Amino acid sequence: MARNVVISGGGTGIGLAAARVFAAGGDRVLLLGRRAEVLEKAEVPGALTCAADLAEPEDVRGVAGFVEREFGAVDVLVHSAGGSGLLEPDAASDDPLEAVAHTWTVNFRLNTLTAVLLTEALKPRLAEPGGRVLFLSSIAAYRGSGSGAYAAAKAGLHPYAHDLARELGPRGITVNVVAPGYIEDTEFFGDAMAEERRARLIGETSNGRAGTPGDVAETLHWLASPGAGHVTSQIIQVNGGAERGH
C-alpha cells in the first residue's frame, strides 16, 4: 500500500535522494522547501510540492493545511531541511557579538526550529500505528563544526527526538535520527571544497570514500520500513566509520 511521505528540504541533496527512493517504492511524496523553483525542478515521479519557510509558524500552519487536504494522514515525516547558513544573508553589523548572535540564530532556525515546528504541526496527522519521524543530524553534533553553531543546532535534535519517541511510542510511532558524515553532491559545502579538506575527510573513513545522498536515503528508507518497527529513539550514524557510535 502506498504511504504518504512528507520530506522537508526535498528539492536538493539528501532530501531529494530520499524522495526518489520513496517514490520508487510506490509511495506518495510531498516535497517541502523555501525555494519554489527548486522544488518544481526536482525530478520525483508524482511528487507534490509546497514552498514554505518552515522556521515561520504561519508558513508551517499553511503546510499543515495542505497536508490535511492532499494526504490526510502522514505515514513518514523526513526532516532534511537545514544547512550551515551559506545561502543566508550576512549579519547586518560588523560588531563581533552581533555576528555571533546572527550565526547562532540562523543555524538554530535552519536546523532545529524547522524540524520542531513541522513535527508539532503534523503530530496529530501521523499514522498510528506505523508512523515514522526521521530527523537529519550530522557528524558535527559529535565533534563540532568550527563555529559550534551548526553542530549545536543539529545536536539539539537528539534530545527532542528522544522525548518525542517516548511521547509517540504508545501510538505505535517510531522516531529516529540519522547523522551523516561527509556527503558529496549536496549544497552544504557551497560551490567547491578544497581538495586538501576533501582528502582529509575521506581519509577519516574506514572504507576510503565519501558518502553519497543515496547512502543516507537508503538508511532513511529502511528506518521507515516495517522491518524497523522496533527501532526507535536511536541515532544512526552514516559516515563510513569516521566517527564511532556513542
Side-chain angles (χ1 to χ4, degrees), residues 7 10-11 29-33 35-42 44 46-52 66 70-71:
I7 302 178
V29 177
L30 169 61
L31 307 178
L32 305 177
R35 296 172 290 172
E37 68 279 7
V38 172
L39 296 176
E40 290 164 4
K41 292 178 182 176
V44 180
L48 299 175
T49 65
C50 182
F66 185 89
E70 298 293 336
F71 277 1

Side-chain angles (χ1 to χ4, degrees), residues 59-96:
D59 278 22
V60 176
R61 273 190 283 269
V63 169
F66 185 89
V67 169
E68 181 178 6
R69 292 190 300 274
E70 298 293 336
F71 277 1
V74 176
D75 297 286
V76 183
L77 175 57
V78 179
H79 296 284
S80 187
S84 60
L86 286 176
L87 301 178
E88 306 305 306
D90 293 332
S93 169
D94 292 332
D95 179 79

Side-chain angles (χ1 to χ4, degrees), residues 138-152:
S138 170
I139 192 172
Y142 294 95
R143 54 168 62 176
S145 59
S147 73
Y150 173 76

